[in-house]
Amino acid sequence: MAPVDWMHLLHQAFFGAVAAAGFGVLFNFGLKALAWCAAAGALALCVRTLGLDQHWSLEAASFVAAVSASICANLFRRPLGPRGNAVALAGCIPMVPGAFFGQAILGALAVTTPHPENAAVILTAIEYLLRVLFTLAAIGAGLAIPAYLLKHREF
């Protein structure tokens, strides 16, 4: 096991909290729910960072982070009420790999030029696109499985 770099972990937690609270604002949550969004984002990014530091794949680390955010949102069902799953979603949105998606789009645009450079551009674009799709699927499954297994009859 690799030692934990606490400053890197705190950095990820802080910016995960800021990004998740920002998505909570976009989802039109109240001020009290924004704090829960920030906590979910900090938790999700911490868990994903710990997984990546242990040399897990991005998809596996994102899945475990989404599961942990979803379980915590369901454990705090009483203060969150019916918006618990939405809070978990807002906490997981900062884990979407935007840089990979940008590279996939740029690779797809490079393929459409009149004289594409080589086949490596196509393969790289497909690789990045697949990583984005698998990571999104892992986050979605990580959010859905605990929400389904821990659902309450009042929802």
Side-chain angles (χ1 to χ4, degrees):
M1 283 180 89
V4 176
D5 182 6
W6 291 103
M7 289 306 292
H8 178 64
L9 196 62
L10 286 173
H11 175 268
Q12 292 293 319
F14 175 74
F15 285 106
V18 170
F23 284 111
V25 169
L26 289 176
F27 290 168
N28 211 15
F29 284 140
L31 193 58
K32 183 175 155 185
L34 289 180
W36 287 102
C37 288
L43 173 70
L45 265 289
C46 277
V47 171
R48 186 183 78 167
T49 301
L50 287 173
L52 291 174
D53 288 346
Q54 297 302 318
H55 305 289
W56 295 0
S57 68
L58 177 64
E59 296 82 5
S62 297
F63 175 76
V64 172
V67 166
S68 65
S70 184
I71 287 174
C72 285
N74 279 293
L75 289 177
F76 292 104
R77 184 178 290 133
R78 188 175 259 19
L80 288 173
R83 64 181 173 239
N85 291 331
V87 166
L89 172 67
C92 288
I93 289 178
M95 293 192 302
V96 173
F100 285 151
F101 189 62
Q103 290 296 325
I105 290 174
L106 290 176
L109 291 175
V111 170
T112 62
T113 60
H115 304 289
E117 296 290 323
N118 54 21
V121 174
I122 297 170
L123 291 176
T124 304
I126 291 172
E127 175 191 353
Y128 285 135
L129 182 63
L130 288 175
R131 293 221 45 200
V132 169
L133 292 176
F134 289 145
T135 303
L136 287 176
I139 292 171
L143 287 170
I145 291 170
Y148 179 75
L149 293 177
L150 300 173
K151 69 181 174 181
H152 202 266
R153 62 179 164 209
E154 59 189 43
F155 295 109

